[in-house]
Amino acid sequence: MQSTQNNPMKLENSYGPFGIRKYRLAMVFLIVSALIFTAVAAAINITTTASEEEQVVSITTAESIKDARTIAGIVTELLDSESGSSSMASTQVPSVVSSVDITQFLANSEIVGLNIFQPDGSLAWSSSLAPTELAPAQKEIFVNALTGSIATGLVKDSVVSGSTGASFEADTVETYVPFTDSESGEVSLVLGVTRDVTSILSTSIDQSRSAVFESTIMSLGVGFLILLITVFLADIRMWKQRELAVEYERDSASAELSFAKLNLANRELQQVTEEREKILSTVSHELKTPLTSIVAFTDILSRNQSGEEKDRNRKHLQIVRRSSDHLLALINDLLKFNRMSPVDTAVVEAEFELVGLIDEVRETMEPLLASKQQSLVINGGEKIPVLLMDRRRILQSLLNLLSNSSKFSNDGAVILMEFRLKDDVLQILVADPGIGMSEERQVELLQSRMAVDPDSDSGHGLGFGITKEIVEAHGGRISIDSEVGQGARITIELPMMIG
């Protein structure tokens, strides 16, 4: 270390010709921010599209049912006028419809096709010059109409033949109205109404997506830009301060001069540290603004879910919400570590079921593990009764350990989490087949809160330090069993009750 400080060239070379490592905090922030932006954008895009599709289908379905009933009424009146009685067999409907001029009706609506089908699905009459048989997606809706009730649904990329005979692809709402035989009461014919909703659906989705994206991205962008500038300034100031310290060591000619310069450097370092802490404290408030916006829009989208996919959409939005809360907690911890001040590990006791906590851990870790084709095996959690601990902090500890295990394990690795109850002590084991740790690194992690070495290829650093403080705040302890290249087994022991 001394030789490096006395030779600025070695320091410069170790950080590369472009000084990339000078901005490593900023680079990490950019990567994490990009991932968050991508995840939020994908969630909003999927949820907004599904929500708008359901709304458009609901509106156009009502219009299609109304039009279908109108057409059915016209056909019924013609049948009654021809037979003098409503008991005429409904199999006569195709011939009656053929005599009706529906050109004006179709021209004044978004209906692109009228078809009459036999109960077996064969075509009896069509308004198109080039009629087509039922597609698989249409058959699923058609079958529902055979029960005697009106059936409707959305069909994506349906091939439609217009009144001119030309075929084209469109998103359509298919509505099927059954005709029942007056004597047997069975469905004898089915009237199909095809409505083109491509333009309406596209416009509605684009407008909704644009409104949500504009406000969300604007909020995220402002917070991102402010924090990015702050991180770059902090990196530059730290780097300059380190260069001053190296230059001071090299130019020291006497003890008196060295002492004076050292005092000066220390005062400047303290000033820079105080300024950085002040800036980061201010930015922390601004950073919470985009996170608050994410949470707010997530809640709005959760409340506005409907249709068959609403449960899945709400589940995805809940994951976004929990991830945002977890990110906010991590930001607060990072700021406190940056000030060299203790992380707030005050315990807020509350009863909770371990099974629910395990489900949340599994859902939160699933995307990270899937990116490396890794799997998580959890044993013993269903046997543990209700716990009285700080649920949020325990969740944070488990996520920290599992994230480290995933990071330091190869693709396809199997990570184990096991829960045991022994003598009123909850034991939690997290084991991975990763690169492991040396004995020196284990001692460093267990003895020092600030055991953070960004250049180390082993150990678990910041996340382990936070976890250690949380466990000790609960009156428990944490231990490590590991060898280099042989993976790691980390055990947490927590008393079941906190006095």
Side-chain angles (χ1 to χ4, degrees):
M1 179 64 69
Q2 184 65 28
S3 61
T4 301
Q5 291 179 341
N6 290 336
N7 191 342
M9 290 301 296
K10 290 186 178 180
L11 178 64
E12 180 180 353
N13 292 336
S14 68
Y15 279 74
F18 302 103
I20 294 177
R21 291 177 63 187
K22 181 191 296 186
Y23 306 105
R24 57 191 173 189
L25 181 60
M27 296 298 292
V28 170
F29 171 76
L30 285 173
I31 294 173
V32 173
S33 298
L35 293 176
I36 293 175
F37 269 67
T38 302
V40 172
I44 292 176
N45 180 61
I46 293 173
T47 307
T48 301
T49 300
S51 178
E52 288 302 318
E53 283 183 355
E54 292 173 358
Q55 185 175 358
V56 169
V57 170
S58 177
I59 294 173
T60 54
T61 293
E63 295 175 353
S64 294
I65 292 176
K66 179 180 178 181
D67 293 337
R69 286 174 173 169
T70 300
I71 297 170
I74 294 173
V75 173
T76 301
E77 290 179 2
L78 289 174
L79 288 171
D80 291 342
S81 64
E82 288 186 11
S83 65
S85 172
S86 60
S87 61
M88 181 179 290
S90 55
T91 54
Q92 301 176 23
V93 173
S95 61
V96 173
V97 174
S98 299
S99 65
V100 178
D101 184 9
I102 62 171
T103 304
Q104 189 65 29
F105 181 84
L106 295 177
N108 295 330
S109 69
E110 295 173 345
I111 297 176
V112 294
L114 292 174
N115 300 281
I116 297 181
F117 300 93
Q118 299 290 347
D120 61 358
S122 60
L123 189 64
W125 175 88
S126 175
S127 64
S128 173
L129 297 179
T132 59
E133 297 297 328
L134 287 171
Q138 295 171 320
K139 286 184 179 180
E140 294 180 2
I141 307 172
F142 175 83
V143 171
N144 294 330
L146 297 180
T147 61
S149 60
I150 297 176
T152 185
L154 174 67
V155 178
K156 302 284 287 186
D157 299 326
S158 175
V159 178
V160 178
S161 297
S163 58
T164 62
S167 298
F168 58 95
E169 287 189 354
D171 297 336
T172 62
V173 170
E174 303 287 342
T175 303
Y176 297 97
V177 181
F179 287 87
T180 57
D181 188 272
S182 59
E183 297 180 358
S184 65
E186 296 181 351
V187 176
S188 57
L189 292 171
V190 177
L191 170 63
V193 180
T194 301
R195 181 181 293 272
D196 185 0
V197 296
T198 305
S199 178
I200 298 176
L201 187 61
S202 177
T203 301
S204 179
I205 291 176
D206 289 343
Q207 290 177 347
S208 178
R209 183 184 299 163
S210 176
V212 174
F213 263 57
E214 182 178 357
S215 57
T216 302
I217 297 303
M218 182 176 296
S219 299
L220 286 172
V222 171
F224 168 81
L225 182 60
I226 293 175
L227 186 58
L228 177 61
I229 294 174
T230 303
V231 171
F232 266 114
L233 291 176
D235 274 342
I236 293 173
R237 296 298 294 272
M238 289 178 61
W239 180 260
K240 289 183 177 180
Q241 190 59 43
R242 187 168 183 175
E243 288 181 332
L244 289 175
V246 172
E247 184 178 358
Y248 163 75
E249 293 255 346
R250 184 194 63 182
D251 297 335
S252 295
S254 65
E256 181 178 358
L257 182 59
S258 297
F259 183 75
K261 289 185 177 181
L262 181 60
N263 284 338
L264 177 61
N266 286 337
R267 286 195 298 269
E268 290 178 352
L269 179 60
Q270 182 178 2
Q271 182 180 0
V272 171
T273 302
E274 291 174 354
E275 290 178 358
R276 191 175 81 172
E277 291 175 6
K278 183 178 180 180
I279 293 174
L280 290 178
S281 297
T282 302
V283 171
S284 64
H285 178 269
E286 298 298 329
L287 184 60
K288 292 176 184 177
T289 299
L291 288 176
T292 302
S293 177
I294 293 174
V295 172
F297 279 109
T298 300
D299 292 339
I300 292 174
L301 291 174
S302 296
R303 290 194 299 269
N304 293 327
Q305 295 304 307
S306 61
E308 297 180 355
E309 301 295 330
K310 65 179 181 180
D311 292 335
R312 188 190 68 174
N313 292 338
R314 286 174 176 167
K315 180 179 179 181
H316 291 170
L317 290 169
Q318 288 173 0
I319 295 176
V320 174
R321 174 63 183 272
R322 287 199 301 267
S323 298
S324 298
D325 294 339
H326 185 56
L327 176 60
L328 182 59
L330 292 178
I331 291 172
N332 292 333
D333 289 343
L334 178 61
L335 291 174
K336 291 182 179 181
F337 264 86
N338 181 70
R339 295 194 297 266
M340 297 292 288
S341 59
V343 175
D344 181 13
T345 54
V347 175
V348 180
E349 297 180 1
E351 290 187 353
F352 64 94
E353 294 184 355
L354 183 58
V355 174
L357 181 69
I358 292 175
D359 291 340
E360 187 170 346
V361 168
R362 196 189 303 274
E363 290 178 354
T364 304
M365 289 298 301
E366 183 178 0
L368 177 62
L369 296 175
S371 66
K372 299 183 67 174
Q373 293 83 45
Q374 296 172 339
S375 58
L376 174 63
V377 177
I378 302 178
N379 297 326
E382 67 279 0
K383 301 178 181 179
I384 307 300
V386 175
L387 303 180
L388 179 60
M389 299 179 186
D390 190 328
R391 188 183 189 279
R392 184 178 70 85
R393 287 300 187 181
I394 296 299
L395 173 62
Q396 181 181 6
S397 299
L398 298 182
L399 292 178
N400 285 342
L401 296 181
L402 290 173
S403 297
N404 287 332
S405 294
S406 175
K407 175 182 178 182
F408 295 107
S409 297
N410 294 329
D411 292 357
V414 177
I415 300 171
L416 171 67
M417 175 176 285
E418 189 172 287
F419 297 85
R420 295 189 296 265
L421 186 60
K422 182 178 180 181
D423 298 331
D424 293 332
V425 174
L426 176 61
Q427 297 179 343
I428 306 175
L429 169 67
V430 176
D432 64 73
I435 62 177
M437 290 177 277
S438 64
E439 292 184 2
E440 293 78 10
R441 182 58 174 163
Q442 295 178 44
V443 172
E444 180 183 6
L445 287 171
L446 293 173
Q447 291 184 352
S448 173
R449 178 181 70 88
M450 292 298 294
V452 182
D453 181 6
D455 297 328
S456 175
D457 292 330
S458 62
H460 295 66
L462 178 61
F464 187 92
I466 296 175
T467 299
K468 179 173 176 288
E469 288 198 3
I470 293 174
V471 171
E472 292 175 352
H474 280 79
R477 70 185 189 91
I478 188 170
S479 59
I480 305 174
D481 180 15
S482 178
E483 295 182 11
V484 176
Q486 299 298 320
R489 295 170 57 88
I490 299 177
T491 302
I492 295 175
E493 294 184 350
L494 298 167
M496 290 295 292
M497 303 295 290
I498 303 175

